[in-house]
Amino acid sequence: MDSTLRTAVASGMGAVIGGEPMEPILALAALAAKPHLICHSAFFIERLGVAAQAQRAAVRAAREQRHFDVAELFAFVCPARFATPTPTGFARSLALDPGKDDEDTLRLIAEDLLNRLSSKHYPVIRETAENATFLARANWPWSKPVMQALLKANPKLDVGSFATGLNAWDRVEEWEEDGGRAPGRQDAISPEEAQRFLREVLGSRSEERSSQAAYAGSASFAFQPRQSKEINNILLAEAGTGLGKTLGYLSPAYLWARKNNAPVWVSTYTKNLQRQLDQETARLIENPEERQSKIVIRKGRENYVCLLNMQEVFGRLTSANPRTALLAALISRWARFTRDGDMVGGDFPSWILSLFNDLSLDGEQRGVTAQSLGLTDRRGECIYSACPHYRRCFIERSVRAGRNASIVIANHALVLHQAAVDHALGVAQTEEEEAAPGGIRRIVFDEGHHLFDAADSAFSGHLTALETAELRRWIRGPEAERRRGRGLADRIADLLGEDEAGEKLLQQVLRAAFALPGPGWTRRVQAGQAEGPAEHFLALVRQQVLARAEQANAAHTLETDCLPLVEGLSAAAAQLSEALLDLKRPMSALANALARKLDSEAEDLSSNDRGRIEAISRSLKRRGELMVGSWIDMLRRLLDGKNPLFVEWFDIAQAFGREHDVGLHSHWLDPTEPMALAVLRQADGIVITSATLKDRPPDVPDDWANAEMRTGAVHLPYPVKRESWDSPFDYAGSSRVIVVTDVNREDMDQVAAAYRELFLASGGGGLGLFTAISRLKAVHKRLVKPLADAGLPLYAQHVDPMDTGTLVDMFRAERDACLLGTDAVRDGVDVPGDSLRLIVLDRVPWGTPTILERARKEAFGGNAYTDMVVRLRLRQAFGRLIRRTGDKGHFVILDPRLASRFLTAFPPGVQVSRLGLVDAIDMVRA
């Protein structure tokens, strides 16, 4: 690497370039003038642009320069390896001691990465050289030093014969058929067995915690044999933070799975927490290879890279421009080394995509995600065994691994969806569709306090423009130029063969799909030029929303009650209902015709063909009987009158001041009611656990009623077992709650000043939580300079060009950083130690005033329901503060409306002080 290349690193609001401190605007000019050695160009340069309040052209010029970015080099040399995208983070991942400053560290990182390539032990040297040669043609700055290093490893590389090397779809190892899993047993796990195994897992050096052992013993209740068809074993277990509940339930779960040759599904709310849970399983099984076969992460298909999609997308990326070519190369290299092909929360470094957030794809400027690139299988277009890459498919590999695993780590959305579909359509019979042999029978729902929200999403219906247009695209395929995809005819024509009846049904489905919105629906609906029944219905829905919606802020979703309908909407709903019936009938008939082939052609069908037929048949049923059927039911309720079990409304979804969807929404008033029927009653044993299952109303401090209501246990015709354990932490001695009484929460200057002084008083380590993105952004722009001047890094969700998970990783890695975020940060941050010692809420976290929340408030006790929601949110937020023994911190709320009835959200004994801002600052500083 050129020793004269100047380095550029962040310093406060500005930068240090070649050892010289520079103001942001001068740093941008220097970066635009010539290449530099930098770290994550997008994050670094975009933040300079914000600090300088620079014109977009100045930022673009700095980003278009061909910098030597160590983030790009790291992604190339060490694909699928975790690292925080900072100089210190990359050094830590490479086991390097940081240099005397960030500039020195950057050079050490670049030197180490190139040295790795020059080793003869570096894996797939020829393939790596092919990638580098391809990138040399795309003028990647690192290509020359990379090739020089690789030629040291193998001087005989024949560069002239190289292709691109990007065809990962041909190089990924094939999965193997395993013959299936033998039927499992139903042997019980006793509390003593669970506790004994927990002691083995913890080892003799670990401190014995009696509450953790008691928890593990109680969790064994869910792993007893079912005594009757009508009654199963369900445990509600609240375990305070620090008790060790993860190993407390994993121990009996793994012991039962190993003993009975049957899987246990462990479900979390977020995908990031799936990753944390996977890391915890290393305590159960130390051998990495054995753990990989026994512990499997499962997610929805939309999370995994599709090799066929990759092959098609790379054709566009490699020919578009040098930046898209580099993106394709980095994704290809990751695909060769990934554990499981998971692009969303797995081992794909999400910060790679933010390097390319300035790209224009298909002529559109938008955020670059795995979905927007078209790399994942979110559109339901899989052709299963007809795909040329089927034997290498990451999704099929994951499904088969899950069928044979002892512990399957999933998320609530997948588990509820899979269980609901199995309940509605019956358990699948082939490996392509079957989640687990005989269905999902044993489940641990961690973060059980989120089950209500997860069920609300899983069992809701949305008759909207985007949903209906997506179904038309799934049926008819792409109908506009430059759009890619495969229609239903492309996917099943060979399966129908000479079946004239089946072909006739297919044509009926294709014709009926014309009733759904087609390409360009947005322009037509907004211009009053709707085409077809769905667009006419949606145009009138839009008219009603615009006429009646109370919200005037164009940045938010507009919504209104359905009744009374505007003139003409009743007739349009009836017409759409008939059109949807005309679609549902042939879809169901076609699904049944395909399913009959499993019987009529049983002797001739291979196992792969059987799997493909069942998968497509069930996909047709899911969309026809369940989705289209639910739309028809929604329209009938619209015409026949309200059903008290449902809450329904019209809305216009808006983003950045523009409409992007319109339609009718339907939610269960209590979504745990269908969840109890489809999920809770079907499984043999379930643990529902969390640190915050129960509400703590002042008059009933040990209240289980709300816990049973929000987990669905209240809908079971038999009692469930309930247990709770307090946290072992000394909250009274390690934390304080401060309610600031003299800050006007509506004056953003005052709010920002409070955040500034509190963050400065704590010396960083501050997490700012906001109830609205607009408030977060207003505070952020006022904090950038004062925190930078104090040497405190500031990161912000919805502002910084980086995904939330990476921002949290960056915050965790630095002792004195501050992070601003909203709900996703409040519910998903796990930052033990000094990096988090102050949490500041901008105001009391009331529920969002929507039509849905209005209905639930009326149904579930009025103000008591609202108070419960606030207390549970406060419990969750406070729970982020103390994560391990020795942690200390302050929890500050900038809102005097925090009434005494909310204070029971905090652990008993914690001091709550109502102070003016000056005294609050002194308390935090002390």
Side-chain angles (χ1 to χ4, degrees), residues 204 329 391 402 602 796 834:
S204 58
R391 298 289 302 189
D834 254 6

Side-chain angles (χ1 to χ4, degrees), residues 573-604:
Q575 184 183 16
L576 178 57
S577 180
E578 286 301 317
L580 291 175
L581 271 171
D582 289 341
L583 175 62
K584 178 188 173 185
R585 291 190 191 101
M587 287 183 75
S588 298
L590 182 57
N592 291 331
L594 287 168
R596 284 194 295 272
K597 287 180 175 290
L598 297 175
D599 180 45
S600 62
E601 301 179 16
E603 294 182 1
D604 301 322

